[in-house]
Amino acid sequence: MQLKIDNLKVSYGNIKALHGVSFTVEQGEILTIIGANGAGKSTTLRAISRMVPSEPGSALEFEGQNILKYSADKVVSRLGISHVPEGRRIFGNLTVTENLTLACFARKDKDQVVKDRKWVFDLFPRLEERRDQLAGTLSGGEQQMLAVGRAYMSARKIMLLDEPSMGLAPLLMLDMFDALKEINKLGTTILLVEQNARLALKFAQRGYVIENGALVLEGPSDELLDNPEVKKAYLGA
Amino acid sequence: MESLTDILQYFIQNLINAAQRGSFYAVISIGYSMVYGVLMLFNFAHGDIFMVGTYIGFGIATLFLAIFAGLLPAPLIFLSTVVVTMFLASWIGVFVEVAGYRPLRQAPRASAAITGLMIGIIFETGILILLGAKRLSFPPLMESVTYNIGGVYFTNVKVMIIIISLLLMLALHGFIQKTKWGMAMRAMSYDFLAVPLMGVSINIIAPLTFAVGAGLASVAGILYGQAYPILDPYMGVIIGWKAFVAAILGGRGSIKGAALAGYLLGFIEIFVATIFPSTLRDLIAYSIILIILTFRPRGFFGMEHSTKLRL
Protein backbone atom coordinates (compact mmCIF):
# COMPACT_ATOMS: atom_id res chain seq x y z
CA MET A 1 0.00 0.00 0.00
CA GLN A 2 1.28 3.40 -1.03
CA LEU A 3 -0.77 5.79 1.05
CA LYS A 4 -2.20 4.97 4.45
CA ILE A 5 -4.50 7.43 6.20
CA ASP A 6 -5.47 6.49 9.71
CA ASN A 7 -7.90 8.32 11.98
CA LEU A 8 -7.49 11.65 10.17
CA LYS A 9 -9.14 14.48 12.08
CA VAL A 10 -9.28 18.08 10.93
CA SER A 11 -11.10 21.06 12.46
CA TYR A 12 -11.60 24.59 11.23
CA GLY A 13 -11.89 26.55 14.46
CA ASN A 14 -14.71 24.90 16.40
CA ILE A 15 -16.12 23.12 13.39
CA LYS A 16 -15.06 19.51 12.97
CA ALA A 17 -14.54 18.81 9.28
CA LEU A 18 -13.18 15.25 9.52
CA HIS A 19 -13.98 12.89 12.40
CA GLY A 20 -11.30 10.24 12.01
CA VAL A 21 -11.09 9.19 8.37
CA SER A 22 -9.15 6.02 7.53
CA PHE A 23 -8.37 4.60 4.12
CA THR A 24 -5.57 3.19 2.03
CA VAL A 25 -4.45 3.69 -1.55
CA GLU A 26 -2.56 1.05 -3.54
CA GLN A 27 0.33 1.93 -5.82
CA GLY A 28 -0.90 2.56 -9.37
CA GLU A 29 -4.62 2.41 -8.70
CA ILE A 30 -7.33 4.95 -9.42
CA LEU A 31 -9.29 5.62 -6.27
CA THR A 32 -12.17 7.99 -5.79
CA ILE A 33 -13.85 9.51 -2.77
CA ILE A 34 -17.36 10.68 -3.56
CA GLY A 35 -19.65 12.75 -1.41
CA ALA A 36 -21.82 15.79 -1.21
CA ASN A 37 -20.66 19.37 -1.02
CA GLY A 38 -19.12 19.99 2.41
CA ALA A 39 -18.74 16.31 3.31
CA GLY A 40 -14.99 16.68 3.76
CA LYS A 41 -13.57 15.63 0.40
CA SER A 42 -11.40 18.67 -0.19
CA THR A 43 -10.31 18.75 3.44
CA THR A 44 -9.05 15.17 3.15
CA LEU A 45 -6.85 16.09 0.20
CA ARG A 46 -5.68 19.31 1.84
CA ALA A 47 -4.66 17.42 4.96
CA ILE A 48 -2.57 15.02 2.88
CA SER A 49 -0.93 18.01 1.13
CA ARG A 50 -0.36 19.67 4.52
CA MET A 51 -2.33 22.72 3.45
CA VAL A 52 -4.46 22.33 6.57
CA PRO A 53 -3.15 20.99 9.90
CA SER A 54 -4.45 17.63 11.10
CA GLU A 55 -5.22 17.06 14.76
CA PRO A 56 -3.09 14.94 17.11
CA GLY A 57 -3.80 11.25 16.71
CA SER A 58 -4.01 11.45 12.94
CA ALA A 59 -1.55 9.22 11.12
CA LEU A 60 -0.67 9.89 7.49
CA GLU A 61 1.87 7.63 5.87
CA PHE A 62 3.19 7.66 2.31
CA GLU A 63 5.52 4.88 1.17
CA GLY A 64 6.50 4.28 4.77
CA GLN A 65 7.22 7.96 5.48
CA ASN A 66 5.30 10.05 7.98
CA ILE A 67 3.70 12.81 5.90
CA LEU A 68 3.23 14.99 8.98
CA LYS A 69 7.01 15.45 9.18
CA TYR A 70 6.97 17.34 5.87
CA SER A 71 5.87 20.88 5.06
CA ALA A 72 3.46 21.49 2.17
CA ASP A 73 6.21 22.18 -0.38
CA LYS A 74 8.27 19.16 0.70
CA VAL A 75 5.23 16.88 0.39
CA VAL A 76 5.43 17.75 -3.31
CA SER A 77 9.17 17.94 -3.85
CA ARG A 78 10.40 15.17 -1.53
CA LEU A 79 7.50 12.73 -1.24
CA GLY A 80 6.23 13.08 -4.81
CA ILE A 81 2.61 13.91 -4.03
CA SER A 82 1.02 16.37 -6.45
CA HIS A 83 -2.28 18.15 -5.90
CA VAL A 84 -4.69 19.68 -8.40
CA PRO A 85 -6.59 21.96 -6.05
CA GLU A 86 -10.25 22.87 -6.07
CA GLY A 87 -10.90 25.75 -8.44
CA ARG A 88 -7.63 25.00 -10.32
CA ARG A 89 -5.69 27.87 -8.72
CA ILE A 90 -3.51 28.45 -11.76
CA PHE A 91 -1.36 31.58 -11.70
CA GLY A 92 -3.22 33.92 -14.02
CA ASN A 93 -0.42 36.50 -14.13
CA LEU A 94 2.09 33.92 -15.40
CA THR A 95 2.21 32.45 -18.89
CA VAL A 96 1.30 28.82 -19.54
CA THR A 97 4.98 27.88 -19.84
CA GLU A 98 5.85 29.78 -16.67
CA ASN A 99 3.11 27.94 -14.76
CA LEU A 100 4.66 24.65 -15.87
CA THR A 101 8.19 25.83 -15.10
CA LEU A 102 7.26 27.02 -11.62
CA ALA A 103 5.95 23.55 -10.84
CA CYS A 104 9.52 22.27 -11.35
CA PHE A 105 11.00 24.83 -8.93
CA ALA A 106 12.58 22.23 -6.65
CA ARG A 107 13.44 19.69 -9.33
CA LYS A 108 17.09 19.15 -10.18
CA ASP A 109 16.62 16.82 -13.18
CA LYS A 110 16.60 19.53 -15.84
CA ASP A 111 16.71 17.12 -18.81
CA GLN A 112 13.72 15.21 -17.54
CA VAL A 113 11.85 18.51 -17.00
CA VAL A 114 12.20 19.29 -20.71
CA LYS A 115 10.92 15.82 -21.61
CA ASP A 116 8.02 16.10 -19.19
CA ARG A 117 7.00 19.45 -20.62
CA LYS A 118 6.99 17.97 -24.10
CA TRP A 119 4.87 15.08 -22.83
CA VAL A 120 2.37 17.49 -21.24
CA PHE A 121 2.19 19.49 -24.47
CA ASP A 122 1.59 16.25 -26.41
CA LEU A 123 -1.15 15.31 -23.98
CA PHE A 124 -2.77 18.75 -24.15
CA PRO A 125 -1.90 20.30 -27.55
CA ARG A 126 -4.10 23.28 -26.69
CA LEU A 127 -1.60 24.26 -24.02
CA GLU A 128 1.27 24.23 -26.48
CA GLU A 129 -0.69 26.50 -28.82
CA ARG A 130 -1.11 28.93 -25.94
CA ARG A 131 2.25 28.46 -24.28
CA ASP A 132 3.17 32.16 -24.22
CA GLN A 133 -0.29 33.36 -23.28
CA LEU A 134 -1.08 34.53 -19.74
CA ALA A 135 -2.82 31.66 -17.99
CA GLY A 136 -5.58 34.02 -16.84
CA THR A 137 -6.74 34.40 -20.43
CA LEU A 138 -7.33 30.64 -20.91
CA SER A 139 -10.80 29.13 -21.02
CA GLY A 140 -12.02 27.05 -18.06
CA GLY A 141 -11.20 23.80 -19.82
CA GLU A 142 -7.72 24.96 -20.76
CA GLN A 143 -7.09 26.14 -17.22
CA GLN A 144 -8.00 22.68 -15.96
CA MET A 145 -5.57 21.14 -18.46
CA LEU A 146 -2.90 23.49 -17.18
CA ALA A 147 -3.67 22.62 -13.56
CA VAL A 148 -3.30 18.90 -14.34
CA GLY A 149 -0.21 19.42 -16.51
CA ARG A 150 1.35 21.54 -13.81
CA ALA A 151 0.67 18.92 -11.14
CA TYR A 152 2.21 16.26 -13.38
CA MET A 153 5.36 18.36 -13.70
CA SER A 154 5.57 18.99 -9.96
CA ALA A 155 5.48 15.40 -8.71
CA ARG A 156 4.85 12.01 -10.10
CA LYS A 157 4.09 9.29 -7.57
CA ILE A 158 0.51 10.14 -6.74
CA MET A 159 -1.81 12.86 -7.99
CA LEU A 160 -4.57 14.20 -5.77
CA LEU A 161 -7.39 15.71 -7.82
CA ASP A 162 -10.07 17.93 -6.34
CA GLU A 163 -13.16 18.04 -8.59
CA PRO A 164 -11.38 18.20 -11.95
CA SER A 165 -14.78 18.03 -13.70
CA MET A 166 -16.11 21.16 -12.03
CA GLY A 167 -17.36 23.74 -14.51
CA LEU A 168 -16.44 21.68 -17.57
CA ALA A 169 -18.74 20.87 -20.47
CA PRO A 170 -19.55 17.10 -20.65
CA LEU A 171 -17.32 16.49 -23.65
CA LEU A 172 -14.35 18.27 -22.05
CA MET A 173 -14.91 16.25 -18.87
CA LEU A 174 -14.50 13.02 -20.80
CA ASP A 175 -11.35 14.34 -22.48
CA MET A 176 -9.98 15.28 -19.10
CA PHE A 177 -10.58 11.82 -17.68
CA ASP A 178 -8.96 10.26 -20.74
CA ALA A 179 -5.90 12.41 -20.08
CA LEU A 180 -5.86 11.31 -16.44
CA LYS A 181 -5.94 7.68 -17.61
CA GLU A 182 -2.83 8.40 -19.71
CA ILE A 183 -1.09 9.82 -16.66
CA ASN A 184 -2.15 6.78 -14.63
CA LYS A 185 -0.79 4.43 -17.30
CA LEU A 186 2.67 5.88 -16.72
CA GLY A 187 2.49 4.71 -13.12
CA THR A 188 1.04 7.68 -11.27
CA THR A 189 -1.51 6.69 -8.65
CA ILE A 190 -4.66 8.78 -8.79
CA LEU A 191 -6.77 9.84 -5.84
CA LEU A 192 -9.81 11.70 -7.08
CA VAL A 193 -12.52 13.41 -5.09
CA GLU A 194 -15.69 14.24 -6.98
CA GLN A 195 -19.22 15.42 -6.57
CA ASN A 196 -19.99 13.94 -9.97
CA ALA A 197 -20.26 10.41 -8.54
CA ARG A 198 -21.27 8.59 -11.69
CA LEU A 199 -18.35 9.94 -13.68
CA ALA A 200 -15.90 9.31 -10.87
CA LEU A 201 -17.03 5.73 -10.24
CA LYS A 202 -16.89 4.89 -13.95
CA PHE A 203 -13.33 6.19 -14.05
CA ALA A 204 -12.01 4.70 -10.81
CA GLN A 205 -11.41 1.09 -9.84
CA ARG A 206 -12.38 1.56 -6.22
CA GLY A 207 -14.30 4.13 -4.25
CA TYR A 208 -15.18 5.46 -0.83
CA VAL A 209 -18.26 7.42 0.13
CA ILE A 210 -17.81 10.27 2.59
CA GLU A 211 -20.64 11.79 4.61
CA ASN A 212 -20.36 14.51 7.23
CA GLY A 213 -16.63 14.07 7.70
CA ALA A 214 -16.61 10.27 7.92
CA LEU A 215 -16.26 7.44 5.39
CA VAL A 216 -19.44 5.38 5.30
CA LEU A 217 -18.97 2.96 2.41
CA GLU A 218 -16.13 1.34 0.55
CA GLY A 219 -15.93 -1.00 -2.40
CA PRO A 220 -15.06 -1.64 -6.02
CA SER A 221 -16.58 1.00 -8.30
CA ASP A 222 -19.06 -1.29 -10.01
CA GLU A 223 -20.40 -2.46 -6.65
CA LEU A 224 -20.86 1.12 -5.51
CA LEU A 225 -22.57 1.97 -8.78
CA ASP A 226 -25.06 -0.84 -8.04
CA ASN A 227 -25.46 -0.04 -4.36
CA PRO A 228 -29.05 1.12 -3.73
CA GLU A 229 -28.00 3.72 -1.14
CA VAL A 230 -25.37 5.19 -3.44
CA LYS A 231 -27.83 5.17 -6.31
CA LYS A 232 -30.40 6.99 -4.24
CA ALA A 233 -28.09 9.55 -2.67
CA TYR A 234 -25.52 10.26 -5.38
CA LEU A 235 -26.57 8.90 -8.72
CA GLY A 236 -30.00 10.43 -8.85
CA ALA A 237 -31.75 7.12 -9.58
CA MET B 1 9.37 89.53 -16.61
CA GLU B 2 11.43 86.41 -16.94
CA SER B 3 12.24 85.22 -20.39
CA LEU B 4 11.13 81.82 -21.68
CA THR B 5 14.71 80.53 -21.49
CA ASP B 6 14.91 81.41 -17.81
CA ILE B 7 11.70 79.56 -17.08
CA LEU B 8 12.90 76.55 -19.06
CA GLN B 9 16.25 76.58 -17.26
CA TYR B 10 14.50 76.80 -13.93
CA PHE B 11 12.18 73.98 -14.88
CA ILE B 12 14.92 71.61 -16.03
CA GLN B 13 16.99 72.47 -12.97
CA ASN B 14 14.13 71.40 -10.74
CA LEU B 15 13.40 68.38 -12.88
CA ILE B 16 16.89 67.05 -12.12
CA ASN B 17 16.43 67.72 -8.41
CA ALA B 18 13.06 65.99 -8.53
CA ALA B 19 14.52 62.98 -10.33
CA GLN B 20 17.16 62.65 -7.60
CA ARG B 21 14.64 62.86 -4.77
CA GLY B 22 12.24 60.58 -6.62
CA SER B 23 15.01 58.01 -7.06
CA PHE B 24 15.32 57.58 -3.28
CA TYR B 25 11.57 57.20 -2.83
CA ALA B 26 11.28 54.82 -5.78
CA VAL B 27 14.08 52.47 -4.75
CA ILE B 28 12.90 52.35 -1.13
CA SER B 29 9.19 52.02 -1.88
CA ILE B 30 9.85 48.97 -4.07
CA GLY B 31 10.84 47.14 -0.89
CA TYR B 32 7.40 47.80 0.61
CA SER B 33 5.64 46.68 -2.55
CA MET B 34 7.61 43.49 -3.01
CA VAL B 35 6.97 42.31 0.53
CA TYR B 36 3.31 43.23 0.26
CA GLY B 37 3.03 41.36 -3.02
CA VAL B 38 4.54 38.21 -1.60
CA LEU B 39 3.24 38.12 1.99
CA MET B 40 0.37 40.61 1.90
CA LEU B 41 1.78 42.63 4.75
CA PHE B 42 3.46 45.98 4.93
CA ASN B 43 6.86 45.77 6.50
CA PHE B 44 6.84 48.87 8.67
CA ALA B 45 10.43 48.22 9.66
CA HIS B 46 11.49 49.02 6.10
CA GLY B 47 12.32 52.69 6.77
CA ASP B 48 14.62 51.60 9.57
CA ILE B 49 16.09 48.85 7.41
CA PHE B 50 17.01 51.70 5.05
CA MET B 51 18.59 53.50 8.01
CA VAL B 52 20.61 50.44 9.10
CA GLY B 53 21.59 49.89 5.46
CA THR B 54 22.87 53.45 5.30
CA TYR B 55 24.98 52.87 8.44
CA ILE B 56 26.35 49.64 6.96
CA GLY B 57 27.15 51.57 3.79
CA PHE B 58 28.82 54.24 5.88
CA GLY B 59 30.94 51.62 7.65
CA ILE B 60 31.96 49.86 4.47
CA ALA B 61 32.66 53.12 2.63
CA THR B 62 34.81 54.42 5.50
CA LEU B 63 36.68 51.12 5.69
CA PHE B 64 37.24 50.79 1.94
CA LEU B 65 38.32 54.45 1.61
CA ALA B 66 40.82 53.96 4.44
CA ILE B 67 42.28 50.84 2.83
CA PHE B 68 41.97 51.43 -0.90
CA ALA B 69 42.00 55.21 -1.42
CA GLY B 70 44.79 55.98 -3.87
CA LEU B 71 45.30 52.27 -4.60
CA LEU B 72 42.13 51.66 -6.53
CA PRO B 73 40.23 53.98 -8.86
CA ALA B 74 37.35 55.77 -7.11
CA PRO B 75 34.56 54.19 -9.20
CA LEU B 76 35.83 50.74 -8.21
CA ILE B 77 35.77 51.65 -4.52
CA PHE B 78 32.26 52.98 -5.04
CA LEU B 79 31.13 49.81 -6.78
CA SER B 80 32.63 47.48 -4.20
CA THR B 81 31.02 49.54 -1.41
CA VAL B 82 27.65 49.12 -3.11
CA VAL B 83 28.06 45.38 -3.66
CA VAL B 84 29.35 44.57 -0.17
CA THR B 85 26.76 46.81 1.51
CA MET B 86 23.96 45.23 -0.48
CA PHE B 87 25.10 41.77 0.52
CA LEU B 88 25.37 42.61 4.22
CA ALA B 89 22.13 44.61 4.33
CA SER B 90 20.18 41.83 2.66
CA TRP B 91 20.89 39.71 5.75
CA ILE B 92 19.16 42.38 7.82
CA GLY B 93 16.12 41.76 5.64
CA VAL B 94 16.42 38.00 6.16
CA PHE B 95 16.74 38.55 9.91
CA VAL B 96 13.61 40.72 10.03
CA GLU B 97 11.60 38.08 8.17
CA VAL B 98 12.84 35.09 10.11
CA ALA B 99 12.87 36.61 13.59
CA GLY B 100 10.06 39.14 13.28
CA TYR B 101 7.44 38.06 10.81
CA ARG B 102 7.73 34.30 10.37
CA PRO B 103 6.52 33.45 13.89
CA LEU B 104 3.48 35.65 13.21
CA ARG B 105 2.58 34.33 9.78
CA GLN B 106 -0.75 32.93 10.99
CA ALA B 107 -1.37 35.84 13.37
CA PRO B 108 -3.76 38.72 12.63
CA ARG B 109 -2.29 41.28 10.24
CA ALA B 110 -2.36 44.00 12.90
CA SER B 111 0.10 42.02 15.05
CA ALA B 112 2.48 41.79 12.11
CA ALA B 113 2.21 45.53 11.49
CA ILE B 114 2.99 46.27 15.14
CA THR B 115 5.95 43.87 14.94
CA GLY B 116 7.36 45.94 12.10
CA LEU B 117 7.10 49.13 14.11
CA MET B 118 8.77 47.47 17.09
CA ILE B 119 11.64 46.09 15.01
CA GLY B 120 12.08 49.63 13.69
CA ILE B 121 12.35 51.05 17.20
CA ILE B 122 14.79 48.29 18.17
CA PHE B 123 16.97 49.19 15.21
CA GLU B 124 16.86 52.91 16.01
CA THR B 125 17.76 52.45 19.66
CA GLY B 126 20.25 49.73 18.80
CA ILE B 127 22.18 52.09 16.54
CA LEU B 128 21.88 54.80 19.18
CA ILE B 129 23.45 52.54 21.82
CA LEU B 130 26.09 51.23 19.46
CA LEU B 131 27.26 54.52 17.95
CA GLY B 132 25.98 57.20 20.31
CA ALA B 133 23.88 60.22 19.48
CA LYS B 134 26.53 62.09 17.56
CA ARG B 135 25.75 62.64 13.93
CA LEU B 136 28.08 60.89 11.57
CA SER B 137 29.03 62.18 8.17
CA PHE B 138 28.92 59.90 5.13
CA PRO B 139 32.25 60.13 3.28
CA PRO B 140 32.01 61.22 -0.36
CA LEU B 141 32.69 58.27 -2.66
CA MET B 142 33.36 60.45 -5.66
CA GLU B 143 34.70 63.91 -6.20
CA SER B 144 31.84 66.27 -6.92
CA VAL B 145 32.07 68.10 -10.22
CA THR B 146 29.51 70.72 -11.23
CA TYR B 147 28.48 70.99 -14.84
CA ASN B 148 26.72 73.86 -16.53
CA ILE B 149 24.80 72.98 -19.64
CA GLY B 150 22.80 75.84 -21.08
CA GLY B 151 22.49 77.54 -17.71
CA VAL B 152 21.33 74.38 -15.91
CA TYR B 153 23.66 73.41 -13.09
CA PHE B 154 24.05 69.83 -11.95
CA THR B 155 26.69 67.68 -10.31
CA ASN B 156 28.05 64.34 -11.43
CA VAL B 157 26.83 62.97 -8.07
CA LYS B 158 23.22 63.79 -8.95
CA VAL B 159 23.50 62.17 -12.36
CA MET B 160 25.11 59.12 -10.82
CA ILE B 161 22.34 58.81 -8.20
CA ILE B 162 19.67 58.87 -10.89
CA ILE B 163 21.50 56.45 -13.19
CA ILE B 164 22.35 53.90 -10.48
CA SER B 165 18.75 53.99 -9.25
CA LEU B 166 17.41 53.34 -12.74
CA LEU B 167 19.93 50.55 -13.30
CA LEU B 168 18.93 48.92 -10.00
CA MET B 169 15.29 48.96 -11.00
CA LEU B 170 16.13 47.55 -14.40
CA ALA B 171 18.14 44.75 -12.76
CA LEU B 172 15.25 44.05 -10.41
CA HIS B 173 12.87 43.89 -13.35
CA GLY B 174 15.12 41.29 -14.97
CA PHE B 175 15.29 39.30 -11.74
CA ILE B 176 11.50 39.30 -11.32
CA GLN B 177 10.78 38.44 -14.95
CA LYS B 178 13.58 36.05 -15.83
CA THR B 179 14.57 34.00 -12.80
CA LYS B 180 12.66 31.20 -11.15
CA TRP B 181 12.74 33.06 -7.83
CA GLY B 182 11.20 36.10 -9.49
CA MET B 183 8.61 33.84 -11.05
CA ALA B 184 7.78 32.40 -7.64
CA MET B 185 7.41 35.93 -6.24
CA ARG B 186 4.98 36.82 -9.01
CA ALA B 187 3.05 33.62 -8.37
CA MET B 188 2.89 34.43 -4.65
CA SER B 189 1.41 37.83 -5.42
CA TYR B 190 -1.35 36.11 -7.40
CA ASP B 191 -2.19 33.18 -5.15
CA PHE B 192 -0.27 32.81 -1.93
CA LEU B 193 -1.79 29.47 -0.94
CA ALA B 194 -1.25 27.60 -4.19
CA VAL B 195 2.50 28.26 -4.31
CA PRO B 196 3.59 25.48 -1.89
CA LEU B 197 1.69 23.01 -4.10
CA MET B 198 4.33 23.75 -6.73
CA GLY B 199 7.03 22.47 -4.41
CA VAL B 200 8.10 26.06 -3.70
CA SER B 201 9.06 26.78 -0.12
CA ILE B 202 7.60 30.01 1.22
CA ASN B 203 10.42 29.95 3.76
CA ILE B 204 12.81 30.59 0.88
CA ILE B 205 10.78 33.09 -1.14
CA ALA B 206 9.73 35.25 1.84
CA PRO B 207 13.24 35.93 3.24
CA LEU B 208 14.56 36.35 -0.29
CA THR B 209 11.97 39.07 -0.89
CA PHE B 210 12.96 40.84 2.33
CA ALA B 211 16.61 40.48 1.35
CA VAL B 212 16.10 42.07 -2.05
CA GLY B 213 14.09 44.92 -0.52
CA ALA B 214 16.75 45.54 2.13
CA GLY B 215 19.56 45.34 -0.42
CA LEU B 216 17.85 47.96 -2.58
CA ALA B 217 17.18 50.17 0.44
CA SER B 218 20.84 49.99 1.47
CA VAL B 219 22.00 51.19 -1.95
CA ALA B 220 19.44 53.98 -1.69
CA GLY B 221 21.11 54.72 1.65
CA ILE B 222 24.57 54.99 0.11
CA LEU B 223 23.22 57.27 -2.61
CA TYR B 224 21.30 59.28 -0.02
CA GLY B 225 24.54 59.63 1.94
CA GLN B 226 26.18 61.11 -1.15
CA ALA B 227 23.43 63.72 -1.49
CA TYR B 228 22.76 64.39 2.21
CA PRO B 229 25.84 63.19 4.11
CA ILE B 230 24.43 63.40 7.65
CA LEU B 231 23.48 60.12 9.30
CA ASP B 232 21.26 59.79 12.33
CA PRO B 233 19.33 56.85 13.77
CA TYR B 234 15.95 58.42 12.98
CA MET B 235 16.71 59.25 9.36
CA GLY B 236 14.65 56.28 8.18
CA VAL B 237 11.41 57.34 9.78
CA ILE B 238 10.25 60.20 7.56
CA ILE B 239 11.72 58.84 4.35
CA GLY B 240 10.31 55.41 5.22
CA TRP B 241 6.80 56.79 5.64
CA LYS B 242 7.07 58.75 2.43
CA ALA B 243 8.25 55.68 0.52
CA PHE B 244 5.31 53.83 2.08
CA VAL B 245 2.99 56.52 0.71
CA ALA B 246 4.56 55.93 -2.70
CA ALA B 247 3.94 52.18 -2.38
CA ILE B 248 0.26 52.79 -1.67
CA LEU B 249 -0.04 55.41 -4.38
CA GLY B 250 1.54 53.02 -6.89
CA GLY B 251 -0.92 50.30 -5.97
CA ARG B 252 -0.40 47.64 -3.31
CA GLY B 253 2.07 45.03 -4.45
CA SER B 254 2.90 46.70 -7.77
CA ILE B 255 6.62 47.22 -8.23
CA LYS B 256 6.35 49.39 -11.29
CA GLY B 257 3.62 51.36 -9.51
CA ALA B 258 5.89 51.94 -6.53
CA ALA B 259 8.73 53.12 -8.75
CA LEU B 260 6.49 55.44 -10.71
CA ALA B 261 4.81 56.83 -7.61
CA GLY B 262 8.21 57.32 -5.97
CA TYR B 263 9.26 59.58 -8.81
CA LEU B 264 5.90 61.34 -8.83
CA LEU B 265 6.29 62.02 -5.11
CA GLY B 266 9.74 63.50 -5.74
CA PHE B 267 8.38 65.70 -8.49
CA ILE B 268 5.42 66.93 -6.47
CA GLU B 269 7.62 67.73 -3.46
CA ILE B 270 10.21 69.64 -5.48
CA PHE B 271 7.75 71.57 -7.59
CA VAL B 272 5.52 72.43 -4.66
CA ALA B 273 8.61 73.87 -2.98
CA THR B 274 9.38 76.02 -6.02
CA ILE B 275 5.95 77.66 -5.83
CA PHE B 276 5.12 77.74 -2.11
CA PRO B 277 7.25 78.48 0.97
CA SER B 278 9.27 75.36 1.79
CA THR B 279 7.71 75.08 5.26
CA LEU B 280 4.42 74.29 3.54
CA ARG B 281 5.99 71.76 1.20
CA ASP B 282 4.88 68.51 2.81
CA LEU B 283 1.47 69.87 3.77
CA ILE B 284 0.66 70.75 0.19
CA ALA B 285 2.46 67.83 -1.45
CA TYR B 286 0.68 65.22 0.67
CA SER B 287 -2.67 66.95 0.30
CA ILE B 288 -2.23 66.44 -3.43
CA ILE B 289 -1.48 62.74 -2.83
CA LEU B 290 -4.56 62.49 -0.66
CA ILE B 291 -6.69 63.93 -3.43
CA ILE B 292 -5.22 61.49 -5.97
CA LEU B 293 -5.99 58.57 -3.64
CA THR B 294 -9.54 59.80 -3.14
CA PHE B 295 -10.13 59.40 -6.84
CA ARG B 296 -7.97 56.30 -7.25
CA PRO B 297 -8.14 54.41 -3.95
CA ARG B 298 -6.40 51.34 -5.37
CA GLY B 299 -3.48 53.45 -6.55
CA PHE B 300 -2.05 53.36 -10.07
CA PHE B 301 -1.59 49.63 -10.59
CA GLY B 302 -3.38 48.03 -7.63
CA MET B 303 -4.55 44.52 -8.45
CA GLU B 304 -8.13 43.63 -7.72
CA HIS B 305 -7.56 39.91 -7.42
CA SER B 306 -4.82 40.12 -4.83
CA THR B 307 -7.22 40.39 -1.90
CA LYS B 308 -9.91 38.15 -3.29
CA LEU B 309 -7.93 34.96 -3.70
CA ARG B 310 -6.58 34.89 -0.19
CA LEU B 311 -7.92 34.44 3.33
Side-chain angles (χ1 to χ4, degrees), chain B:
Chain B
M1 197 189 144
E2 288 172 281
S3 74
L4 192 64
T5 344
D6 287 340
I7 294 173
L8 199 64
Q9 271 174 6
Y10 188 64
F11 179 75
I12 293 173
Q13 184 75 64
N14 281 298
L15 208 61
I16 294 171
N17 294 342
Q20 173 182 282
R21 183 170 285 265
S23 294
F24 300 133
Y25 293 149
V27 173
I28 298 169
S29 70
I30 284 171
Y32 281 107
S33 269
M34 285 183 73
V35 168
Y36 185 86
V38 167
L39 290 176
M40 220 178 80
L41 64 85
F42 282 111
N43 169 22
F44 287 120
H46 192 56
D48 291 299
I49 291 176
F50 159 78
M51 178 273 294
V52 175
T54 311
Y55 273 90
I56 292 174
F58 161 80
I60 298 298
T62 310
L63 183 73
F64 281 9
L65 284 172
I67 301 172
F68 300 121
L71 292 173
L72 293 175
L76 197 62
I77 298 179
F78 197 143
L79 188 71
S80 26
T81 303
V82 166
V83 171
V84 174
T85 303
M86 239 179 144
F87 175 77
L88 293 176
S90 59
W91 288 100
I92 302 287
V94 173
F95 170 77
V96 168
E97 196 279 327
V98 173
Y101 290 108
R102 189 173 297 182
L104 293 169
R105 217 174 264 167
Q106 309 299 330
R109 298 287 87 172
S111 309
I114 296 297
T115 301
L117 294 173
M118 289 189 295
I119 293 170
I121 294 170
I122 291 169
F123 280 166
E124 288 162 15
T125 44
I127 292 281
L128 204 60
I129 292 166
L130 213 62
L131 298 171
K134 79 166 185 287
R135 292 182 156 202
L136 298 166
S137 176
F138 207 110
L141 285 159
M142 62 196 285
E143 210 177 321
S144 179
V145 183
T146 307
Y147 300 100
N148 172 4
I149 294 181
V152 178
Y153 290 89
F154 58 92
T155 62
N156 57 344
V157 175
K158 238 170 226 180
V159 175
M160 181 238 9
I161 287 170
I162 296 165
I163 289 175
I164 290 186
S165 301
L166 291 173
L167 285 178
L168 271 182
M169 288 184 268
L170 208 64
L172 179 72
H173 180 77
F175 175 77
I176 299 277
Q177 293 300 324
K178 300 289 177 207
T179 70
K180 69 173 187 175
W181 296 281
M183 199 188 287
M185 287 175 185
R186 281 184 284 143
M188 293 266 290
S189 75
Y190 192 84
D191 189 344
F192 184 94
L193 294 172
V195 166
L197 294 182
M198 303 297 103
V200 180
S201 171
I202 289 175
N203 288 344
I204 291 176
I205 302 305
L208 180 67
T209 309
F210 274 81
V212 172
L216 289 174
S218 72
V219 181
I222 295 173
L223 300 177
Y224 193 81
Q226 298 305 296
Y228 312 98
I230 303 296
L231 286 85
D232 86 274
Y234 303 103
M235 64 185 289
V237 178
I238 294 290
I239 197 162
W241 283 115
K242 287 181 173 179
F244 173 62
V245 169
I248 295 290
L249 186 62
R252 299 167 170 211
S254 167
I255 292 170
K256 87 178 154 187
L260 201 73
Y263 279 104
L264 183 72
L265 214 61
F267 281 74
I268 292 176
E269 279 192 10
I270 294 288
F271 280 95
V272 164
T274 64
I275 300 165
F276 300 99
S278 65
T279 42
L280 294 180
R281 187 193 68 194
D282 282 0
L283 175 70
I284 294 168
Y286 289 88
S287 300
I288 294 171
I289 306 287
L290 199 60
I291 291 165
I292 299 176
L293 278 176
T294 309
F295 290 102
R296 251 195 112 76
R298 274 196 282 119
F300 300 147
F301 300 104
M303 288 174 286
E304 250 171 312
H305 65 249
S306 58
T307 44
K308 234 189 284 172
L309 267 169
R310 290 184 219 157
L311 304 175

Side-chain angles (χ1 to χ4, degrees), chain A residues 6 23 46 58 102 106-107 126 141 144 146 200 207 210 234-235:
Chain A
D6 192 35
F23 64 96
R46 285 184 195 143
S58 311
L102 185 69
R107 286 178 61 177
R126 290 293 287 276
Q144 189 64 62
L146 180 57
I210 189 167
Y234 300 104
L235 303 174

